[in-house]
Amino acid sequence: MKILEIKTMSGPNYWSVTRHKLIVMLLDLEDMEERPTNTIDGFLERLQGLMPSLYEHRCSEGVAGGFFHRVKEGTWMGHVIEHIALELQTLAGMDTGFGRTRETQNRGVYHVVFSYQEAKAGIYTAKAAVKIAEALINGEPYDLDADIQNLREIREDERLGPSTGSIVEEAIKRKIPYIRLNRHSLVQLGYGVNQCRIQATIASTTSSIAVEIACDKEETKNLLESAEIPVPRGRIIYDEEDLRNTIDKIGYPIVTKPVNGNHGKGATTNIRTWEDAVAGLKDAKVYGRAVICEKYITGRDFRVLVINYKFVAAALRTPAAVIGDGVHTVQQLIDIVNSDPRRGYGHEKVLTAIKVDSFTMDMLSKKGYTLDTVPADKEELWLKPTANLSTGGTATDVTDFVHPTNVFMCERIARIIGLNICGIDIMADDLSVPITENGGAVLEVNAAPGFRMHLDPTEGLARNVAEPVIDMLYPPGSSARIPIIAVSGTNGKTTTTRLIAHIVKQMGYKVGYTTTDGVYIQNQLMMRGDCTGPVSAEFVLRDPTVNYAVLECARGGILRAGLGFHNCDVAVVTNVAEDHMGLGGIDTIEKMAKVKSVPANTVFPEGYAILNADDDHVYGMHKDLKCKVAFFSLNEHSERIKQHCAKGGVAAIYENGYVSILKGAWKIRVEKVTNIPLTFSGMAEFNIANVLAAILATYVQDFKTEDIRQALQTFVPSPALTPGRMNVFHFHNYSVMIDYAHNTHGIMAIGKFIKSIDASVKVGVIAGVGDRRDEDIISLGEAAANVFDEIIIRQDKNLRGRSEQEIIDLMMKGIHSVDPNKKITVIKKESEAIDHAFRNAVKDSFIVIISDVIPDALEQVKQYKAKEDGVIL
């Protein structure tokens, strides 16, 4: 078997608009296509032996053991690999559960699709699942445990930590979108101007001064002490002389810790001898020159969490420890503790397995113990100096038992430091009485406090501490989103996107939009090139100046990685034609329509899908949509439009020279097409359709028709505003038009416009595209022959898998099938083909350049125009 391709979906996609995280593996079964599982001796038994938990997979039979029954009856290896991939992730602590296996147009080649939690883990799983299947087929041993451990390590390295993850999960519950800004813990919540950011548990609303204060333990202590908050006595020290003087003043036991430390790093507690004090000083100085030396407060370790200056939760923390039984060694006791099913690797379970490290060995050494020592019966042996859950500690929720005086004190501390997300460490015997009465003290105030101890305490009630964070960032009535209009289809996407963006901009919005030409933020070009995929969409949605997004969504990006957003307010589908057929497993027009419908399937229920009623495949999409639908049509007598409006629906039509909105029985004329520059006085019929889609998309967003009318009048097609979309240059003796029409449907559309042009000869500079089917390239030649009197065949820079001559021959075949005597010139380089067209232009001719690289073609034509006008560029 051979893996041909692995794609990682991260947004709504062809396979599912609701399950965004999918691995799509293109797998060639090769010889295994002829060998279903029931023909492989011992395969089922070996599979059951290696992965017995697959019994829980119900498969299509809907009962436990269903998958094993399918294997027994006989199924293909792609299906088996799908289930192995899902179970392998589950065994590594990543339960996903969605899978599909579908055969492609090529025999023995399958799309194996399954969900993932972390992309790198999903890719690893895809490869591992194939190896596992091959080992089972061949009856070879396989180390499954190694894969599981590797996946656990990938998971811990890649995923958000429990604190950040809990905030993101709470945001998802509230339909707040998020974008991970790096591979660590920096996350954007919301879009555009309404975004907030979190990094771990520091929010974009958190005061940087407060974080600085909290990170400076001495400064924190001084502020609290001056506010009559009980804190341990102590001072900043730099060397052993300072250490000696401080101990003489405050006495043993003491604590040493770095001034700028966190998470217990470099801290040593309960120091009672000079030797241990010197060692503690050395450990703390690893993290900075300045060290805090203070009185060690006895009692129990509590963490209080305050969010938005309100008390939220409290937990009692206990360091990783074992209880002796007089029989087992320290190592054996650790193993017994780690056998608790609640303990796992990293953050996969409520508790983390205890790991022996230098801190453990140091603490054992101080007691004269080793890992082979047998502690006395009921002796409690601490294995870590701090009570962090990540090192094996435990937590008990005590939220309901905190005394009101202590609650008031903690909320006051948060205000004193200025931290809106604040973790307060308190040492005291009990928090149910004021710490001023039981000798307790505040040890530290922490920025970016961990949430795990509150989310998943070892004992007591779990507290959803992420909820008040989201409440703080997005109070009731506030929005995390900005309006999104998505545009898909075969042709007309870019023009429609640009027109919608123009209308929206005229309404005073700060628009970000993506096109095949680039990404624009408030009409400023930010990225050049084909920017119609998810990365470009996220670029716009990440921009903090944008309050409205218009996103062109092309086939390639949807198939490659899915959409760059989860939901939109309006989705436009212009049309569906046979272009890019055979690529990415899309070999029928029905499948292509499914690709183009993905954005429409993400529209909010209260939003609108804007569909072309003149296109059967686009019109048919409305049956599966869960949002509102509005149709547009060039035919004012369309029965589809009549039926829709009879039910009170909204539509846009072209009638009596006007583009008009229909709202139920009412007709609202927006503007005459002769007053809309984009329609070229109504001669560019396909642009009338684009106008209808644009006015409908903005009308359902409550834009006023008078404002839409004004925007239509000021949207003038030009190289600056619509590069490569019917850019016409009038020379003294001839005219030149540059367009991006790159498929049969596009050539036929501009052909209707060109036929209305009065010219002595109509010349087309065209090219075939190498990654299209033979019939598509031939069809392009046929369409060109029906439009142009003369044809110049050029070549794209990227031949996409074919030879130049092969493409030329197919184009010629199409042209000659229409007119065997058509004048044809072959000039492979685009710039030379354009030069040839200019040099041989005859009076009153009309030259159409179908360009692959629009900026280069525009620049070349501008040079000719400037030369004729006597202008030096």
Side-chain angles (χ1 to χ4, degrees), residues 1-3 25-44 46-47 51 54 67 70-86 100-103 108-114 125-139:
M1 293 182 289
K2 181 190 296 183
I3 297 174
M25 174 169 59
L26 189 62
L27 179 67
D28 187 348
L29 296 188
E30 298 181 322
D31 295 342
M32 293 309 301
E33 174 64 10
E34 308 301 329
R35 298 179 65 193
T37 52
N38 61 340
T39 67
I40 305 171
D41 289 341
F43 182 83
L44 174 59
R46 291 192 290 273
L47 179 61
M51 305 183 80
L54 279 169
F67 171 63
R70 289 287 305 278
V71 174
K72 182 179 180 180
E73 292 294 313
T75 187
W76 271 259
M77 205 51 62
H79 180 212
V80 173
I81 288 168
E82 169 205 324
H83 281 269
I84 290 175
L86 291 171
R100 293 286 184 273
T101 300
R102 297 290 182 267
E103 191 171 10
V109 178
Y110 292 79
H111 280 118
V112 179
V113 182
F114 60 88
T125 299
K127 297 175 181 178
V130 174
K131 292 177 182 177
I132 291 169
E134 288 175 333
L136 291 169
I137 292 166
N138 299 323

Side-chain angles (χ1 to χ4, degrees), residues 42 47 63 105 178 278 425 477 512 648 666-667 706 764 787:
L47 179 61
V63 295
Q105 67 269 30
Y178 77 96
V278 172
D425 291 341
W666 295 96
K667 179 185 293 183
E706 52 265 38
V787 172

Side-chain angles (χ1 to χ4, degrees), residues 12-304:
N13 56 79
Y14 175 79
W15 300 97
S16 176
V17 294
T18 56
R19 296 176 176 90
H20 304 154
K21 292 186 172 184
L22 297 178
I23 293 294
V24 179
M25 174 169 59
L26 189 62
L27 179 67
D28 187 348
L29 296 188
E30 298 181 322
D31 295 342
M32 293 309 301
E33 174 64 10
E34 308 301 329
R35 298 179 65 193
T37 52
N38 61 340
T39 67
I40 305 171
D41 289 341
F43 182 83
L44 174 59
E45 291 74 21
R46 291 192 290 273
L47 179 61
Q48 290 172 325
L50 185 67
M51 305 183 80
S53 50
L54 279 169
Y55 177 79
E56 298 301 326
H57 288 220
R58 296 170 174 263
C59 204
S60 57
E61 300 196 1
V63 295
F67 171 63
F68 280 152
H69 185 258
R70 289 287 305 278
V71 174
K72 182 179 180 180
E73 292 294 313
T75 187
W76 271 259
M77 205 51 62
H79 180 212
V80 173
I81 288 168
E82 169 205 324
H83 281 269
I84 290 175
L86 291 171
E87 187 60 22
L88 184 56
Q89 290 183 96
T90 298
L91 293 172
M94 295 175 284
D95 196 7
T96 54
F98 174 81
R100 293 286 184 273
T101 300
R102 297 290 182 267
E103 191 171 10
T104 68
Q105 67 269 30
N106 299 318
R107 177 172 167 76
V109 178
Y110 292 79
H111 280 118
V112 179
V113 182
F114 60 88
S115 50
Y116 69 86
Q117 287 186 8
E118 302 301 330
K120 283 189 177 180
I123 293 170
Y124 179 98
T125 299
K127 297 175 181 178
V130 174
K131 292 177 182 177
I132 291 169
E134 288 175 333
L136 291 169
I137 292 166
N138 299 323
E140 299 169 349
Y142 192 88
D143 188 354
L144 188 65
D145 290 338
D147 278 340
I148 293 171
Q149 183 57 30
N150 287 338
L151 282 170
R152 284 172 172 167
E153 292 175 6
I154 293 171
R155 179 201 67 210
E156 291 304 303
D157 189 47
E158 293 295 316
R159 76 173 178 178
L160 293 169
S163 301
T164 313
S166 70
I167 298 173
V168 169
E169 287 173 10
E170 181 64 25
I172 292 171
K173 288 179 187 175
R174 305 188 191 195
K175 308 296 184 184
I176 295 172
Y178 77 96
I179 300 173
R180 193 167 177 178
L181 298 178
N182 63 17
R183 62 179 302 272
H184 302 293
S185 58
L186 182 61
V187 176
Q188 174 183 315
L189 303 177
Y191 289 150
V193 296
N194 292 327
Q195 67 179 266
C196 292
R197 293 179 182 176
I198 55 170
Q199 185 163 29
T201 57
I202 293 178
S204 50
T205 57
T206 301
S207 163
S208 59
I209 294 176
V211 174
E212 287 290 326
I213 292 171
C215 289
D216 187 330
K217 296 187 182 347
E218 182 65 11
E219 189 66 45
T220 299
K221 184 178 176 181
N222 291 338
L223 282 174
L224 296 182
E225 192 170 22
S226 66
E228 294 299 321
I229 304 294
V231 295
R233 296 169 55 213
R235 54 174 290 189
I236 298 289
I237 64 172
Y238 296 93
D239 51 35
E240 290 187 18
E241 182 179 352
D242 290 342
L243 177 63
R244 173 68 72 182
N245 292 337
T246 303
I247 292 173
D248 289 344
K249 183 176 182 180
I250 66 176
Y252 291 112
I254 63 167
V255 173
T256 56
K257 55 188 176 183
V259 167
N260 296 315
N262 56 37
H263 300 296
K265 293 177 180 177
T268 307
T269 62
N270 198 17
I271 297 172
R272 295 178 178 273
T273 68
W274 173 249
E275 291 76 16
D276 288 345
V278 172
L281 174 64
K282 182 179 179 181
D283 290 343
K285 287 178 74 68
V286 170
Y287 299 93
R289 180 168 168 265
V291 175
I292 291 177
C293 177
E294 62 187 20
K295 189 73 174 180
Y296 176 64
I297 306 297
T298 59
R300 295 191 292 175
D301 185 348
F302 293 95
R303 163 63 64 83
V304 175

Side-chain angles (χ1 to χ4, degrees), residues 708-742:
I708 296 173
R709 179 184 305 116
Q710 185 175 7
L712 293 176
Q713 294 168 353
T714 56
F715 188 77
V716 180
S718 66
L721 201 57
T722 56
R725 272 68 186 175
M726 296 188 68
N727 303 147
V728 179
F729 298 82
H730 295 290
F731 290 78
H732 294 325
N733 294 319
Y734 52 88
S735 296
V736 175
M737 184 176 84
I738 297 178
D739 199 87
Y740 185 64
H742 57 286

Side-chain angles (χ1 to χ4, degrees), residues 842-859:
V842 300
K843 184 175 175 57
D844 298 328
S845 62
F846 192 82
I847 301 167
V848 178
I849 300 169
I850 306 299
S851 178
D852 174 45
V853 186
I854 294 297
D856 293 353
L858 282 172
E859 183 59 32

